[in-house]
Amino acid sequence: MVNSKDFLELKQNALKKYFCKMNEQQQQAVFTVNGPVLILAGAGSGKTTVLVNRIANMIYFGNTYNSDYCPDGITQSDMDFLSAFAQGKETDVQRLKEIVSDNSEIKPWNILAITFTNKAAGELKERLEKMLGEEGGEITAATFHSACVRILRREIERLGYSSSFTIYDSDDCQRVIKTCLSELNVSEKQFPPKTMQSIISGAKDELITPEDFEQAAGGDYRKQVIAKLYSLYQSKLFSANALDFDDIIKLTVELFQKYPDVLEKYSNKYKYIMVDEYQDTNHAQYMLVSMLSA
């Protein structure tokens, strides 16, 4: 009969060998599956590599490394295989998975990996597919905005928009702002459209609505004008069934806040959420991740 203590030790050694390109601290991040994990490291130190390997561990092995589970029917041949794998003499990953599995493997569609740029998201997808094959393609690896657009295309009708909404670029937004300034009989010199766009964008990043903005303006004339501009701008976007770039995350958060069933649906779908460059998240992005992971 196989000693369970020996099995657990050999299992961990074999898994360490599989992820041997990671250093000790990186392996610690890779093998920590349940609960929050924060990785702090300098530029070029392999954070994205850790992210890819952590996802691979989740899909191939789940929480097996930390589990005390010893499967029934482990033979001496299995033990010899684990010992050989740990020494680099065996490389059959499929057999390794079959021997050590505690059935905690994570489905790829339950994983959401968020990056900040399309280029980084593309690179992450490519690396995941290279390492995991078809399963890598089933992981949602996306920017905050592209992940939210997917949700909004399915759910935005709850907020009164059509699912065929248009996303305005910066030039489109400035044209709308200029129209609003003209209708409010406000000088573009005093209230430059580019500056106004930046202020409205900042408000949306903080999840501040036109009503909130107006309330906070108090007796400040400039802020009162900007509040009216923000309100008119938003109503024109809504009438045109259009979103600006900042609405994408703001409206997803609003959707989750107003419709708990929608939040529950995506919380159940995305059980494991990883954010690259987490320190760069603004308030809206932080709220989105917090609500999904709560």
Side-chain angles (χ1 to χ4, degrees):
M1 187 173 175
V2 168
N3 184 299
S4 62
K5 187 179 176 184
D6 292 342
F7 168 78
L8 295 175
E9 186 179 340
L10 280 177
K11 172 191 73 173
Q12 288 194 336
N13 288 341
L15 290 174
K16 279 183 179 178
K17 182 62 181 179
Y18 183 75
F19 292 103
C20 65
K21 290 181 181 177
M22 308 281 97
N23 64 35
E24 191 178 338
Q25 293 299 315
Q26 290 172 327
Q27 283 186 354
Q28 189 180 347
V30 165
F31 292 134
T32 305
V33 172
N34 297 323
V37 176
L38 179 64
I39 297 172
L40 301 172
S45 58
K47 291 189 294 296
T48 305
T49 301
V50 170
L51 196 66
V52 171
N53 280 271
R54 185 167 188 253
I55 290 170
N57 177 58
M58 287 176 163
I59 291 172
Y60 283 168
F61 307 109
N63 195 41
T64 296
Y65 181 86
N66 300 298
S67 171
D68 290 333
Y69 174 72
C70 183
D72 293 331
I74 293 293
T75 65
Q76 189 56 49
S77 172
D78 293 330
M79 296 289 279
D80 292 342
F81 173 84
L82 291 179
S83 179
F85 196 99
Q87 294 171 57
K89 296 174 183 176
E90 286 281 2
T91 57
D92 187 344
V93 180
Q94 190 56 43
R95 186 173 178 200
L96 175 64
K97 286 162 68 175
E98 288 168 2
I99 293 171
V100 304
S101 174
D102 67 345
N103 299 313
S104 65
E105 297 87 354
I106 292 155
K107 301 299 183 188
W109 51 85
N110 289 144
I111 296 172
L112 172 62
I114 297 175
T115 64
F116 271 81
T117 66
N118 289 323
K119 184 182 176 185
E123 182 194 335
L124 186 59
K125 280 181 191 172
E126 194 177 307
R127 290 176 68 175
L128 285 168
E129 287 178 19
K130 188 175 178 182
M131 188 166 190
L132 300 166
E134 284 183 18
E135 288 182 306
E138 295 178 320
I139 296 159
T140 302
T143 62
F144 273 106
H145 290 90
S146 61
C148 287
V149 166
R150 290 184 200 187
I151 294 169
L152 291 175
R153 289 287 179 206
R154 295 187 184 102
E155 315 289 350
I156 200 169
E157 290 179 2
R158 301 265 197 131
L159 298 176
Y161 292 81
S162 159
S163 61
S164 59
F165 61 82
T166 305
I167 300 170
Y168 281 0
D169 64 18
S170 184
D171 290 342
D172 295 326
C173 295
Q174 284 188 45
R175 277 195 289 273
V176 176
I177 287 172
K178 286 179 181 180
T179 302
C180 293
L181 289 170
S182 176
E183 288 185 17
L184 292 169
N185 201 23
V186 173
S187 164
E188 285 188 26
K189 285 187 178 178
Q190 283 184 298
F191 296 86
K194 197 170 183 180
T195 304
M196 296 303 101
Q197 185 186 2
S198 178
I199 291 170
I200 291 170
S201 173
K204 289 183 179 184
D205 284 348
E206 293 300 315
L207 301 177
I208 296 168
T209 65
E211 294 74 24
D212 295 333
F213 202 102
E214 186 178 11
Q215 199 171 2
D220 187 311
Y221 168 74
R222 180 175 171 81
K223 287 181 181 176
Q224 287 175 348
V225 171
I226 296 171
K228 288 177 184 174
L229 171 65
Y230 181 10
S231 181
L232 183 58
Y233 168 77
Q234 206 56 32
S235 69
K236 284 190 178 296
L237 289 186
F238 183 79
S239 298
N241 194 39
L243 277 58
D244 65 19
F245 201 58
D246 304 293
D247 280 328
I248 293 169
I249 297 175
K250 179 179 176 289
L251 290 178
T252 307
V253 172
E254 186 180 324
L255 187 69
F256 288 166
Q257 288 172 331
K258 288 184 175 177
Y259 300 98
D261 60 313
V262 177
L263 174 58
E264 186 179 4
K265 175 181 172 180
Y266 289 95
S267 291
N268 286 334
K269 178 177 172 60
Y270 298 126
K271 295 179 181 178
Y272 296 86
I273 303 168
M274 280 160 275
V275 184
D276 204 7
E277 306 295 353
Y278 180 78
Q279 76 282 356
D280 291 336
T281 51
N282 61 34
H283 180 63
Q285 292 162 341
Y286 166 77
M287 282 299 295
L288 180 81
V289 173
S290 295
M291 293 175 81
L292 277 175
S293 61

